[in-house]
């Protein structure tokens, strides 16, 4: 009989969830045959966090599951919890951040700007033994190893998205809304057995983008499927939907890996005339339709192998499978 995953890797494994990450923590614990550690959390009247770990963690490997949609208020609790788990005797503490925030400001574009992706990585490095995430926004920085000293394992959502497209979209044609999205568009198209095209995006401000279309003959008669890593303000998706409609396509299916959905994003997409809007369950949202738990569980297994064999850093993206 095969050994349960936690037994292969040594110390017993538990998953603890910060608020909002309970569902993915339950799924992950199920996939990994790990126990769930309880957490009591609330806010004092002045907004400060109160946390209490409800089960023994001594000698266990702990995975802290998060849903970091709103990272500024959430990050302190994450670090308090990691410190507490160590103080209570956890042998390793791993971060499971299916959505890894603060990845876009990865350079000092203008004098004096904070390079926040570096600061967040330093905070995580100081408290965690490693992290797993799904399709982080790697742009100028190409691997998590360039940012993090602890092992960082990237799970890919492309297989799960491609399977969803195969099952739900007749005659799909994948569109990536900007150059960075080609990594997802190409892989999803390959998995879904269809063609893809790249749009060209120019960002004029936080809430203003322009999209230009490539030649579209190959996509005529197909259902347009837009695939991007993050839907945040949904400006990118909405403008892309509008451009495709103006070119004679209707009802684009919009797929985002991470449903950040701030700033009236839903209304913006509806007004633009989007068809079905779906996302992966890296952040809980009504659009969640694609389960990335299997890829995330594989990434955790890879992290535990890295812990077991002592490899400290430099693990390539998509090395989880
Ligand atoms: C940017 O490079 C990302 O890949 C997304 O296209 C972007 O984060 C989407 O943001 P928004 O929904 O605010 O347009």
């Amino acid at each position: 009989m095969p050994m349960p995953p936690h037994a292969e890797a040594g110390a017993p494994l538990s998953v603890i969830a910060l608020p909002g990450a309970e569902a993915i923590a339950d799924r992950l614990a199920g996939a990994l045959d790990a126990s769930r550690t309880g957490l009591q959390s609330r806010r004092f009247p002045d907004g400060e966090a109160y946390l209490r770990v409800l089960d023994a963690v001594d000698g266990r490997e702990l995975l802290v599951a998060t849903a970091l949609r709103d990272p500024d208020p959430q990050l302190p609790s994450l670090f308090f919890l990691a410190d507490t788990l160590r103080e209570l005797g956890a042998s390793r503490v791993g971060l499971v951040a299916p959505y890894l925030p603060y990845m876009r400001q990865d350079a000092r574009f203008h004098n004096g700007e904070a390079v926040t992706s570096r600061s967040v990585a330093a905070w995580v490095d100081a408290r965690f033994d490693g992290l797993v995430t799904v399709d982080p926004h790697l742009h100028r920085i190409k691997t998590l190893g360039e940012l993090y000293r602890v092992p960082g394992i990237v799970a890919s959502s492309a297989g799960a998205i491609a399977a969803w497209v195969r099952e739900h979209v007749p005659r799909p044609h994948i569109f990536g809304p900007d150059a960075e999205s080609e990594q997802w568009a190409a892989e999803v198209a390959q998995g879904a057995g269809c063609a893809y095209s790249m749009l060209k995006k120019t960002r004029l401000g936080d809430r203003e983008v322009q999209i230009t279309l490539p030649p579209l003959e190959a996509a005529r008669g197909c259902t347009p499927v837009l695939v991007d890593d993050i839907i945040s303000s949904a400006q990118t998706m909405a403008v892309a939907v509008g451009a495709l409609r103006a070119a004679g396509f209707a009802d684009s299916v919009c797929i985002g890996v991470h449903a950040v959905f701030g700033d009236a994003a839903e209304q913006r997409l509806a007004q633009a005339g989007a068809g079905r809007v779906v996302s992966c369950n890296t952040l809980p949202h009504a659009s969640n339709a694609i389960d990335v738990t299997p890829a995330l569980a594989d990434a955790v297994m890879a992290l535990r192998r890295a812990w077991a064999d002592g490899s400290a850093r430099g693990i390539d993206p998509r090395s989880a499978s």
Side-chain angles (χ1 to χ4, degrees):
M1 203 169 99
M3 303 264 280
H6 70 261
E8 285 174 30
L13 183 68
S14 300
V15 184
I16 190 166
L18 278 162
E22 293 84 357
I24 195 77
D26 288 345
R27 283 179 173 275
L28 194 57
L32 291 165
D33 196 18
S35 67
R36 282 281 274 108
T37 296
L39 177 71
Q40 184 185 348
S41 74
R42 65 182 176 83
R43 298 244 169 223
F44 289 105
D46 59 7
E48 289 187 356
Y50 170 90
L51 299 175
R52 182 178 179 200
V53 176
L54 297 175
D55 300 291
V57 299
D58 191 27
R60 304 187 74 84
E61 291 185 356
L62 262 290
L63 301 172
V64 178
T66 60
L68 296 170
R69 169 178 282 115
D70 197 8
D72 286 15
Q74 291 176 298
L75 285 175
S77 290
L78 176 60
F79 301 137
F80 299 148
L81 181 55
D83 291 345
T84 308
L85 293 170
R86 287 194 182 288
E87 288 160 17
L88 296 176
S91 62
R92 305 252 194 202
V93 183
L95 170 60
V96 177
Y99 169 63
L100 191 59
Y102 273 113
M103 288 297 286
R104 282 179 286 186
Q105 188 73 23
D106 58 2
R108 183 165 291 119
F109 303 100
H110 302 103
N111 286 344
E113 282 180 348
V115 185
T116 46
S117 55
R118 273 211 300 264
S119 298
V120 171
W123 293 338
V124 169
D125 276 339
R127 287 175 177 79
F128 289 90
D129 297 298
L131 75 150
V132 301
T133 187
V134 179
D135 293 325
H137 189 79
L138 295 169
H139 184 194
R140 286 151 291 266
I141 288 170
K142 301 297 178 206
T143 68
L144 289 180
E146 291 173 47
L147 264 185
Y148 288 84
R149 284 187 293 107
V150 294
I153 314 284
V154 172
S156 170
S157 63
I161 295 176
W164 187 91
V165 170
R166 274 201 310 274
E167 193 178 336
H168 293 93
V169 185
R171 295 201 64 198
H173 186 101
I174 308 294
F175 288 95
D178 55 24
E180 295 110 280
S181 63
E182 182 157 11
Q183 49 190 311
W184 297 285
E187 216 175 325
V188 169
Q190 192 186 24
C194 64
Y196 76 94
S197 308
M198 300 310 300
L199 313 185
K200 188 166 182 286
K201 174 169 92 177
T202 310
R203 186 170 278 287
L204 306 173
D206 285 350
R207 292 180 183 75
E208 203 184 346
V209 301
Q210 272 175 358
I211 297 268
T212 46
L213 300 176
L216 291 168
E217 291 66 39
R220 292 286 168 204
C222 296
T223 310
V225 179
L226 283 154
V227 178
D228 203 359
D229 59 339
I230 301 171
I231 302 179
S232 181
S233 69
Q235 202 53 258
T236 301
M237 280 287 185
V239 175
V241 165
L244 287 168
R245 279 172 75 88
F249 292 89
D251 295 339
S252 294
V253 176
C254 297
I255 303 180
V257 178
H258 306 295
V260 174
F261 279 83
D263 197 26
E266 285 93 342
Q267 295 91 304
R268 193 164 283 125
L269 278 174
Q271 278 163 11
R276 190 157 176 198
V277 179
V278 301
S279 62
C280 299
N281 57 345
T282 60
L283 289 170
H285 187 261
S287 62
N288 288 171
I290 301 170
D291 183 18
V292 293
T293 308
L296 206 50
D298 284 348
V300 169
M301 300 283 284
L303 176 64
R304 301 189 83 206
R305 284 195 295 275
W307 285 344
D309 71 18
S311 38
R313 58 174 297 168
I315 294 163
D316 285 336
R318 297 168 202 276
S319 60
S321 51

